[in-house]
Amino acid sequence: MTVIPTAATLVLMRDGAGAIEVLLLQRPDRGAFAGAWVFPGGKVEPVDRLDDDESTARNAAVRETAEESGLVVAPDALVPLSHWSPPEQLATKFITWFFVAEAPVGEVVVQQAEAVAARWIRPADALKQHGAGTLRLFPPTWVTLDTLMAYPTVDAALAGIARHELRRYATKQDPQRGLAIWSGDEAYDGLPDTEEYRQLMIDTVGEARPFADSVDAMERLKANYKLVAMTNARRWAFDKYAEKLG
């Protein structure tokens, strides 16, 4: 059995005007996530290894963030947010831990080999720009941004995420329709889509507007970004700017 390597990502947050801001880096037009905006992070190296997977991932997230942005955070300041398993179809696979932490005071110094630009941005603004085609995001990034929209301040985000059980995403890929699906979504376990889902696809093709039937999801409607939240759980259709799954 092939062992899938591990990577770690750190979402640095700071308080902004009316909402938190997160640090995004733009990858070069080559390699993994070419041209996309991502959170700092990378694969686990031997120097990061400790006795358990989470501690190892914390070390990797801190090291990679310091290398890529010049910002240094203590490992024990990180709060686990999510754990991602990749689709089977991907040629290059990583199991990835996502952590959040308050950003330290200091200037962002981008390592040019890893990123070509950096910006602090509100999650809602990043999602809107993704929908407009001016800021390319991959699934783990926009799912994380969507999660963070619920928190008005860094303190609220850290406290709320710490109380929540670790979010686990075992991603499956539907390349014909450009979909990423997760446990709880229609068709995840091979079951057919409902008629309601098929009608939603017809209604949203072209415009790609958000849809969902819960109070929480109604807040996403206000953002008007081009992702389609489907019935039952988190199911998203990509627009033409994010058809490749990462």
Side-chain angles (χ1 to χ4, degrees):
M1 180 178 179
T2 302
V3 176
I4 302 176
T6 301
T9 293
L10 178 53
V11 183
L12 291 178
M13 306 178 295
R14 70 181 188 184
D15 288 321
I20 62 173
E21 296 176 339
V22 298
L23 177 64
L24 290 178
L25 306 178
Q26 186 179 27
R27 294 300 187 203
D29 290 326
R30 54 176 170 73
F33 307 109
W37 289 83
V38 301
F39 304 112
K43 66 180 181 180
V44 168
E45 301 288 359
V47 69
D48 304 317
R49 295 286 179 192
L50 289 175
D51 292 336
D52 64 280
D53 291 342
E54 181 180 324
S55 297
T56 296
R58 284 173 181 270
N59 284 347
V62 167
R63 177 184 52 76
E64 287 284 344
T65 298
E67 291 175 359
E68 294 180 355
S69 71
L71 299 178
V72 179
V73 183
D76 59 4
L78 276 57
V79 177
L81 172 65
S82 57
H83 182 277
W84 292 79
S85 300
E88 293 181 358
Q89 297 96 323
L90 290 184
T92 303
K93 302 181 182 71
F94 287 94
I95 291 174
T96 306
W97 288 78
F98 273 62
F99 299 92
V100 295
E102 183 173 13
V105 176
E107 181 182 358
V108 176
V109 180
V110 171
Q111 185 187 63
Q112 292 300 317
E114 300 289 345
V116 296
R119 63 191 300 187
W120 291 97
I121 189 169
R122 298 186 302 179
D125 292 338
L127 292 169
K128 289 178 184 178
Q129 291 180 35
H130 168 73
T134 58
L135 189 147
R136 189 183 187 197
L137 303 172
F138 280 81
T141 307
W142 51 251
V143 169
T144 300
L145 291 167
D146 178 71
T147 300
L148 293 177
M149 285 177 61
Y151 303 107
T153 65
V154 171
D155 285 345
L158 293 174
I161 292 167
R163 287 194 299 267
H164 197 285
E165 100 177 75
L166 184 70
R167 298 161 173 84
R168 293 187 179 273
Y169 298 94
T171 308
K172 291 185 179 181
Q173 186 176 9
D174 182 346
Q176 291 184 337
R177 293 180 294 178
L179 296 177
I181 55 178
W182 296 286
S183 179
D185 296 341
E186 290 179 346
Y188 184 83
D189 293 317
L191 298 177
D193 296 323
T194 63
E195 181 60 35
E196 182 181 8
Y197 167 70
R198 286 193 289 271
Q199 187 59 48
L200 281 170
M201 287 299 293
I202 293 171
D203 291 344
T204 55
V205 166
E207 185 177 351
R209 64 182 179 274
F211 177 91
D213 57 4
S214 68
V215 173
D216 179 57
M218 286 299 294
E219 292 301 314
R220 301 188 189 108
L221 289 172
K222 300 175 184 177
N224 193 30
Y225 50 85
K226 293 182 181 177
L227 299 173
V228 184
M230 295 305 171
T231 57
N232 295 340
R234 286 177 161 242
R235 181 171 189 157
W236 303 89
F238 291 123
D239 60 26
K240 63 182 179 180
Y241 302 104
E243 293 175 350
K244 290 181 65 177
L245 305 184

